[in-house]
Structure formats: C-alpha cells, structure tokens
Amino acid sequence: MQYKGDIVFEGYVTESVLVYDEQKRPRRLSVSKDKNEYDRFLSARISAIKTFDQLYATTLKTMSEKEANLFQTYKIMAEDSDFEDLVRSNINDKQTAEDAVTNASKQLADTFSALNDEYMKQRAADVIEVGNTIVDILSGNNQLVNLTKPTILLCNDLSASILMQINRKYLKGLVLVKGNINSHVSIFARTIELPTIANLDNSFALSNAVNGKRAILDGIKGRLIIDPTEEEVKEYGKLAKQYDEEVTSLKKFVGKPSVTKDGVKLNLYANIASALEIENVLKNDGEGVGLFRSEFVYLASKTFPTEEFQFNYYREVLEEMKDKQVVIRTFDIGADKKVEYFDLRSEINPALGFRSIRICRKRPEVFRTQLRALYRASVFGKLSIMIPMIVSVEEVDFVFDLIKKVKAELTKEGVPFKDKIPVGIMIETPAAALISDVLAKKVDFFSIGTNDLSQYTLACDRLNPDLNMTFDNKHPAILRLIQMTVENAHKAGIPCSMCGELGRDPSILPFLAAIHLDEISCSSAYILKTRKALAQIDTKKVDVNSYTNPK
Amino acid sequence: MKTFTYTIRDKEGVHARPAGIVVAEARKYASNITITSKGRTTDLKRIFGVMGLCIKFGEEITISVSGSDEELAAEMVQKAFAMNL
C-alpha cells in the first residue's frame, strides 16, 4: 500500500513501523474524594514546568536558543493567569483536574482557531500541547515513546517535546499523517535531519494494523510504502546507498572554490526571498546572495512598507550575510505578482504590462522610498542594487537620476550611506540583450534573468502548462542572446551573472562556463550540486558553437 | 508613563516563541505594561492575550509602560522586541 505526503526532510529509510497515537488519553470521570482537584492541578503544573525547563536545557545544548525558546514559551503558557482562571472555573463546575485542564486548553485553542488563519491554528496546537503535558502528569500516563530497535514512527501528529525525548539512535524516520510541514515538530525534524513526510493524502488505512510491519519512507518523492515487495526493498536499498554517497560527496564541496577542471572561476550565489533563507545559504556554502527578491517584502504587507521597515529588513539581511555580497533586486511587482495596495488595473496581457521599473517611472515616490531604505542599509554590509525589466537607456538614466537625488537628500539629512554601491540591471528582455553593448557602459553589472528572457524571446507564457513543449529555455536564440550579453559586459569591463532556472541546469553549465559567465545565482539547494558539476568541466573541450548553432 | 512603537520584522509575526520571550521580559517588572495593535489593547504579561492580537509581519504596535520601574522596563522590553521580533 502506498501513500503520498509532503516532504519535511529528505532521505530514504526502510525499517519497521511503530504506530503511536498521542490522542488516546484515559479520562478520569469522577473527582477525587480525598484530594482537592485544584491542588492536584497546581502540583501537576509544577512538574510540567520542570519538564519544560529540562527540555529547554536539552534543546539549548543539542540545537540552538531559537528552538529552545519554544519550551520557555510553553512554560509561560502553563504559568499564565488566563489559563489558570479557566482551569479554576472548570474545577468549580465539578470537573476532574484532567478534564478541567483539557477543556481550558481547548477553550484557549478555540479562540485561536476561530481566527480562521492557518498561522493562528498552529498557535492553537501549542496550547493543546501544554494542556496535554499537564494531563499526562495528572493521569500518570507515560506518553514517552520507548524505542528498542530502528523504527519509522507513524503518528497523526507529534508534539515537539515528545520528539525531543525520543532516543535518536533508533528513530530513523517520521511520518506525520495529519501533520503540517510548518509545524514545530517539522521544524525540529529538519533541524535534527530526520527523514520525515507529513500530511498524507489517504490515511484511513493507517491504523494499529500496520504496527510492526516493514515500510519504506521515501523522503525524496514524499511516499510511504507499507509492506513493500522484496523488489521494492532492493530497489530502495540501492537508492538509499546512492543518496548517501551523493550527500557525502556534496558535503566535500563545502569550502571549496567554484572552478572548472581547467581553472575557470564561476561564483555560485543564492536566490532568496526572505531573511529566513539565509541559514540555508550559509549551510550550502553560497558565496553570496545573487538575487534577493525584494517584492516579497511588499507581498507580505497590507500597505506600502515604510522606509524604516524596509531599512530594518535589508539591514538584517546584510548583517546576517556578513562580509558576503548581497544583490537586492528592487521590487518586481506586476505580472504574476500582484499586490492589492498598488491598485493596478487588471490587464489582458500582464506579462507585457505595467510592472517593476515601469511602475517605478510612473510612481517615483514608491521607488524613492525603497532606494532610500537600501542606501541607508548599505553601511551594514556588502550591498549591490539590481533593477529588473529594463528595455531602454531612458529607464537606466531615470534610475541613476533618482539615485543621485536620494543620495543628495541623505547627505543633507546627515544620514550615513555608502556612496559607491554597485548598481546593475537585469537582462531579461530581448531588447536589453540586443542593446547590451550600450547599457554596459552605463551600469556596474548585468544579471541575466533567464525565465523572463525565455518567455519574451519565445513569445511563450511560462506559466501556461499547455506550452511546455514550446517553452524551451535552451533554445539557440536564447543562448545567443546570453552569449552576446556576456561578451558585451566583458568588453565594457563589467561582470555578468545569471539568476534564472537555467543556471543550475547541468546540461547547459559547460556552455556557461565556456563563455566565461562570472556568476550563477540559484536556489541554495543547488549550489553544491552545481559546484560539483563544474569541477568536472574542461572549458577547452566545450564546443560553444554546438549550443548556439545546433544541427 | 513611557510609550514606544515598534514594527514587527519577523516574517511569521508574533508567534509562540518570540511572544514567550517578550512576555517573560515584561513579567520581570512591577510596572503595568500594555500592548496595542489594530486598536486593541492587552496586558503584555499575558501570553494568550498577546497571541490573540494576531500580530503580523509589518504591523506597527504600541507599548505603554507605567509604574515605579517604567524607565528600565520600557528600555528592556524594547530591546526584547528588537532582538526577537
């Protein structure tokens, strides 16, 4: 039997299953005669707080303060007077301490769930977890999972505190049948690198009947196979071996330079959309951030983000990347990224419409706020500014005029900023590629955006699934534009990078290295793979012509 | 009374972990400390009240501190926000 789920952490595991049901808690129906129920609650709460303190200490040691703080929050929830008041009033209604706590945490959780917001629903789960910990202590119910052999743990959902108390030696995989990839337990599973899938498509057969059965957890495709055939076990054994070798071989490339066999350097940077991704960039040894999609700062907001807000956000990104370069792309709003408060007219053909630099020219005040925030943040790291969707020299002149004004304002106000920040443009329209010789004399760098460049060159909507046969981003026309852009950049003495999907395509990497592209920026997950692929390329043996003039 | 405003920079908003940290900080002081968001005010020492405000990324909040140790409390609570949210 096969099930599909969302991937929390990658990996392959073949082990026996242990079904664990956190929901089943024995209930006491009548109140205690010899003991005051409220006193029972108070002493159970003291034990629960001790448990949270211990979990805080363990997590601080094995993970980091960020994860450990969750248990400090649980402690504060347990101590909270709103919670205590609800429990007291439930006990006054003749409930057992167990029921009083369960109901109090449910009442609080309901107020969060009622907010009808995925994010607040997760908060509801936190409250329930605090209640469950106290109830387990009250009922003497040992909820800990005792593993004695290598196991895939199968449960509807799991609390982070229970996960932290399981013996890692035997816990090989985790299936959260009804879990969510953003829950606390999922975050913890990723931190301890435990192969995990969540939110299974079809869960009715996952009962105690599968307990003890052999299963395969495929954390690459997001599958759980119960009772696999011998063939499947064999097949997955091979896959697991290959995967382990791959992971080990990629780890060897951490700290290594990004060069071809014959010594051609090609820097590998990361594309990110939020400060939260920086941890991954550094873990995968990204040499910098080649594309920070600043429109996500706008997409996450209900009104125009203020200068102060943007300044703090950019500053955080720059500080976290320390001395490494960060290329922030000014907002690319419009087309498929609509924001309500920009109040854009609906268009028949949005990809050819009012977007990014075109909005900036009509509404310079909005753009000016972002530029001010960027220049103010510039003193906190190594910033470059990149302008998207350029088609003409006029647009570039407009940008530099506005930058001049912004700098003059900041100087007048006595606000510190770095004067010489590289300002570059994206080459993502055929127009920009065709006049790249002219543009190169005006800017500090180019970055080729292959997704839009392909869409505009091929007159082909990249979001339309019916066009996947036509949308060929390795079309010789596109490769010729890329080659031309790189050559024109180098003639003018500026670097040229690439920040689209094409950059991480191993079949095109030899071409990019051979035409001396300076930098590729891709998702963090592809940095080490690309570095490894690069090390096997000898650019002297690459026939560039075969890419741009195929037979 | 001391007041200050702060804009939430954490992408996930005021979620459980950082909420716990600022509430823990607020509880260290004798002063009354309140948090106001979208016109609603609640006690910053009560975590469920704070979480119930459903404060999101980019939102501006106002903190008011009044009492014998308001100077120090306002400074330290502000620090807790700046470092965690």
Side-chain angles (χ1 to χ4, degrees):
Chain A
M1 192 63 200
Q2 219 186 98
Y3 305 87
K4 260 171 90 180
D6 303 334
I7 299 155
V8 176
F9 188 79
E10 293 188 346
Y12 294 107
V13 190
T14 305
E15 293 296 351
S16 71
V17 169
L18 178 75
V19 176
Y20 171 72
D21 190 349
E22 221 183 326
Q23 301 301 315
K24 273 187 208 141
R25 288 192 160 72
R27 278 184 66 203
R28 253 175 75 254
L29 294 172
S30 57
V31 295
S32 156
K33 287 203 184 83
D34 45 339
K35 264 193 200 157
N36 181 318
E37 292 291 322
Y38 191 63
D39 288 343
R40 289 185 62 231
F41 160 68
L42 290 179
S43 66
R45 182 167 74 170
I46 292 171
S47 309
I49 289 168
K50 262 190 210 147
T51 307
F52 293 140
D53 278 338
Q54 277 161 8
L55 283 168
Y56 176 82
T58 327
T59 315
L60 193 60
K61 236 191 308 175
T62 55
M63 294 191 198
S64 72
E65 195 178 354
K66 204 171 145 204
E67 276 82 22
N69 279 334
L70 178 66
F71 297 112
Q72 192 197 351
T73 301
Y74 284 177
K75 176 183 168 177
I76 288 167
M77 286 182 173
E79 290 170 345
D80 189 86
S81 52
D82 291 326
F83 177 60
E84 191 181 308
D85 291 347
L86 280 170
V87 173
R88 192 188 299 116
S89 112
N90 289 343
I91 286 174
N92 288 342
D93 286 344
K94 300 270 175 291
Q95 291 182 14
T96 60
E98 286 89 336
D99 281 358
V101 170
T102 306
N103 292 332
S105 54
K106 269 195 196 136
Q107 283 161 292
L108 287 166
D110 284 348
T111 58
F112 291 138
S113 298
L115 294 167
N116 195 19
D117 173 325
E118 200 38 54
Y119 156 83
M120 288 315 282
K121 280 183 186 143
Q122 183 56 44
R123 308 289 76 83
D126 293 329
V127 186
I128 297 285
E129 170 143 4
V130 171
N132 286 346
T133 308
I134 299 176
V135 172
D136 287 342
I137 291 163
L138 279 167
S139 53
N141 183 12
N142 185 3
Q143 284 282 333
L144 292 187
V145 185
N146 252 325
L147 302 182
T148 50
K149 58 174 186 183
T151 301
I152 295 173
L153 191 66
L154 180 73
C155 46
N156 274 328
D157 208 347
L158 192 70
S159 60
S161 47
I162 290 182
L163 177 63
M164 282 309 293
Q165 296 173 73
I166 300 177
N167 187 348
R168 269 292 276 139
K169 196 172 141 203
Y170 295 127
L171 181 64
K172 299 295 177 193
L174 177 63
V175 179
L176 304 164
V177 176
K178 295 189 174 142
N180 174 306
I181 59 165
N182 296 316
S183 68
H184 287 306
V185 68
S186 293
I187 295 169
F188 277 62
R190 276 192 287 271
T191 315
I192 61 174
E193 305 193 343
L194 176 69
T196 301
I197 62 171
N199 188 25
L200 267 53
D201 56 340
N202 162 358
S203 56
F204 66 89
L206 289 172
S207 63
N208 280 321
V210 303
N211 223 345
K213 287 196 172 163
R214 186 155 66 166
I216 292 170
L217 170 61
D218 175 348
I220 306 296
K221 288 205 209 83
R223 293 220 159 77
L224 174 71
I225 308 169
I226 306 265
D227 260 342
T229 62
E230 278 310 312
E231 261 168 55
E232 283 173 319
V233 173
K234 234 170 143 187
E235 175 64 26
Y236 270 96
K238 263 191 235 157
L239 283 173
K241 201 165 160 252
Q242 281 170 11
Y243 180 76
D244 287 346
E245 284 167 6
E246 166 93 3
V247 169
T248 323
S249 80
L250 286 183
K251 276 194 181 145
K252 279 189 222 144
F253 284 88
V254 172
K256 292 274 162 64
S258 308
V259 285
T260 63
K261 217 193 267 178
D262 55 324
V264 174
K265 182 130 181 62
L266 212 175
N267 295 326
L268 296 174
Y269 282 40
N271 292 348
I272 64 168
S274 123
L276 295 173
E277 292 175 64
I278 290 179
E279 207 179 317
N280 261 330
V281 176
L282 299 173
K283 204 169 88 187
N284 287 293
D285 199 25
E287 291 161 71
V289 168
L291 169 62
F292 175 85
R293 302 182 159 99
S294 75
E295 56 272 17
F296 284 87
V297 176
Y298 290 76
L299 290 166
S301 179
K302 284 203 179 74
T303 53
F304 286 102
T306 61
E307 179 184 320
E308 199 60 28
F309 178 76
Q310 292 192 54
F311 160 70
N312 280 316
Y313 201 100
Y314 304 145
R315 173 183 171 170
E316 185 184 339
V317 173
L318 288 166
E319 282 180 338
E320 284 188 31
M321 286 300 292
K322 303 210 174 77
D323 52 339
K324 293 185 174 179
Q325 199 187 7
V326 177
V327 181
I328 298 185
R329 175 175 75 186
T330 57
F331 67 82
D332 189 7
I333 303 277
D336 55 329
K337 284 171 244 157
K338 284 273 193 299
V339 183
E340 219 162 85
Y341 56 82
F342 268 77
D343 201 20
L344 302 175
R345 246 183 296 201
S346 68
E347 298 179 70
I348 297 171
N349 219 337
L352 301 181
F354 194 46
R355 60 178 284 202
S356 31
I357 184 69
R358 302 168 182 189
I359 298 178
C360 297
R361 282 180 86 187
K362 276 231 170 166
R363 301 183 188 170
E365 278 310 298
V366 178
F367 192 36
R368 179 178 154 266
T369 304
Q370 182 170 34
L371 288 174
R372 279 184 59 102
L374 285 167
Y375 271 91
R376 282 177 58 196
S378 66
V379 291
F380 296 97
K382 210 169 159 192
L383 171 71
S384 300
I385 297 174
M386 178 160 82
I387 317 293
M389 272 304 285
I390 293 290
V391 298
S392 71
V393 172
E394 288 73 27
E395 286 166 343
V396 174
D397 290 342
F398 158 79
V399 171
F400 281 97
D401 274 353
L402 195 57
I403 285 176
K404 218 163 132 191
K405 280 183 200 149
V406 163
K407 283 184 181 173
E409 278 170 21
L410 293 174
T411 309
K412 207 172 152 196
E413 293 163 25
V415 179
F417 65 93
K418 266 191 203 161
D419 190 38
K420 291 211 166 66
I421 303 170
V423 178
I425 57 173
M426 284 193 70
I427 304 292
E428 53 186 337
T429 62
L434 290 166
I435 58 163
S436 53
D437 53 338
V438 184
L439 295 172
K441 291 177 191 134
K442 299 207 161 234
V443 301
D444 299 317
F445 65 92
F446 283 162
S447 186
I448 303 171
T450 57
N451 304 343
D452 272 330
L453 184 62
S454 306
Q455 150 164 293
Y456 295 132
T457 306
L458 303 173
C460 179
D461 183 350
R462 65 186 163 103
L463 301 175
N464 184 340
D466 288 332
L467 295 174
N468 55 4
M469 278 162 71
T470 319
F471 189 83
D472 169 19
N473 60 5
K474 287 174 265 187
H475 191 292
I478 296 161
L479 301 184
R480 286 183 195 189
L481 289 175
I482 291 170
Q483 187 178 11
M484 180 180 176
T485 303
V486 173
E487 283 171 6
N488 283 332
H490 291 171
K491 266 183 218 155
I494 64 168
C496 184
S497 68
M498 175 176 287
C499 60
E501 297 294 315
L502 193 63
R504 61 168 172 82
D505 185 331
S507 71
I508 217 73
L509 194 61
F511 169 75
L512 299 177
I515 62 168
H516 294 270
L517 184 78
D518 297 281
E519 170 199 314
I520 287 173
S521 193
C522 57
S523 317
S524 304
Y526 293 97
I527 290 173
L528 293 173
K529 284 180 193 167
T530 309
R531 186 173 293 160
K532 189 184 170 193
L534 202 59
Q536 284 149 17
I537 294 169
D538 182 347
T539 59
K540 291 193 293 286
K541 290 185 183 148
V542 178
D543 178 9
V544 170
N545 207 33
S546 70
Y547 288 88
T548 48
N549 291 298
K551 282 178 191 126
Chain B
M1 190 170 76
K2 307 279 292 179
T3 63
F4 66 88
T5 60
Y6 183 80
T7 306
I8 303 300
R9 289 192 291 145
D10 190 311
K11 264 266 151 115
E12 294 173 47
V14 183
H15 54 112
R17 277 180 292 190
I21 297 170
V22 291
V23 170
E25 190 59 41
R27 283 191 185 183
K28 290 184 190 161
Y29 308 97
S31 295
N32 280 323
I33 308 178
T34 62
I35 174 169
T36 304
S37 143
K38 289 164 286 200
R40 287 196 297 151
T41 297
T42 192
D43 186 349
L44 189 63
K45 294 180 185 178
R46 293 190 161 207
I47 190 161
F48 294 114
V50 174
M51 281 165 57
L53 290 175
C54 219
I55 303 167
K56 296 285 173 62
F57 171 83
E59 246 176 60
E60 193 176 85
I61 51 154
T62 306
I63 305 290
S64 303
V65 187
S66 70
S68 53
D69 53 0
E70 61 184 35
E71 288 281 339
L72 181 66
E75 188 193 326
M76 297 310 284
V77 168
Q78 188 160 18
K79 217 178 232 172
F81 270 99
M83 286 177 67
N84 297 289
L85 281 160

